[in-house]
Amino acid sequence: MEVVAGPSSPLLAGRIASKLNLNPVKTRYKRFPDGELYVSVECKDKDVAVVQSLNSNDDLIFLLLLFDALNDRNITAVVPYMGYARQDRKFREGEALSIRAVAKLIEYYAERVISVNIHSNEAKKYFKNLIEVDAMPTLGEYFKKEDIVMISPDLGSFERVKIAAKSAGCEFDYLEKTRLDSENVSIETKSISIDGKNVVIIDDIISTGGTIVEAAKFLLKQGANTVQVGCVHAVLANFALNKIYSAGVSKAFATDTVEKSISEISVAELISEKI
Ligand code: R5P
């Protein structure tokens, strides 16, 4: 087995290779003046694991080119952050079902797919040979010694937060959002008081940061002592981190499925166990 580091996941690929006592193979990536991308891989083994998160459209093209370069190998596609998973259904007539298109493309080349906390169960249905890794216990572990409560910003992430909280050994709850009319929503914690507590908001993805900003402002207004934020996938689009800190969050952290400044927690061990 050889490990190929895609251009979006060099650190994580290196960590996975090191856990498996392997050296990442030599790769070359470049962008032509017209924007087209180029890939070259020096790989000898018949079995390869390609590690490439999908956090941009270029990431997807790079993955496609990597697959082509390795066309005659047995490919394990390690896609730590599976982009396009939020378009997991046709919300309106005429829309593309994006994750179906992405799943078909990946599985055309790869014999199996390893990913971390894919956004929804619906999205997972489009893969035939998917191994999913759950980073929530690892996120929770990070807070084991702290006196905190974990809060899910919505009901959708509550099951994930329960798992993280179990591993942290702390109380947990979710924020209930009620739409009052087309412009106003009210938010409240479902069952526990957060007055004077140190709160950690846990979510699977931080994209624009809008969800976290709204939740953090609410929790601080309700008397939370501090608000920290943890997520699996730090997509962090459009200055999200600046917005989150401006909303009063004291610390934000994430796993290395998307490689950003806050990606302090590695999923390398979890992934290498599945390769
Ligand atoms: C929503 O279903 C997800 O779990 C995240 O809460 C959402 O994708 C975060 O997006 P944003 O950071 O843009 O609010």
Side-chain angles (χ1 to χ4, degrees), residues 28-40:
R28 188 162 171 242
Y29 301 110
K30 71 176 180 184
R31 184 185 303 278
F32 290 105
D34 62 359
E36 288 185 2
L37 302 172
Y38 166 94
V39 163
S40 153

Side-chain angles (χ1 to χ4, degrees), residues 36 71 85 93 149 157 164 223 238 251 258 266 269:
E36 288 185 2
N71 200 17
E93 196 49 45
V149 292
S157 274
N238 296 338
K251 185 163 190 241
V258 182
S266 187
E269 176 122 27

Side-chain angles (χ1 to χ4, degrees), residues 137-148 150 164 167-170 199-202 228-230 251 253 265:
T138 312
L139 270 183
E141 190 74 22
Y142 196 69
F143 282 97
K144 213 162 183 173
K145 295 195 180 83
E146 291 192 32
D147 183 17
I148 50 145
M150 282 190 174
S167 160
C170 68
V199 178
V200 180
I201 308 170
I202 297 280
Q228 300 180 70
V229 171
K251 185 163 190 241
F253 62 94
I265 303 167

Side-chain angles (χ1 to χ4, degrees), residues 86 119 153-154 157 160 203-212:
R86 284 177 288 176
H119 178 65
D154 51 36
S157 274
R160 300 184 187 104
D203 208 349
D204 61 336
I205 304 169
I206 300 177
S207 181
T208 65
T211 305
I212 297 297

Side-chain angles (χ1 to χ4, degrees), residues 73-97:
R73 317 295 161 108
N74 304 323
I75 300 174
T76 297
V78 180
V79 184
Y81 171 57
M82 187 65 72
Y84 283 101
R86 284 177 288 176
Q87 182 75 20
D88 59 4
R89 66 202 77 191
K90 286 177 185 262
F91 297 94
R92 288 193 192 87
E93 196 49 45
E95 286 182 343
L97 212 168

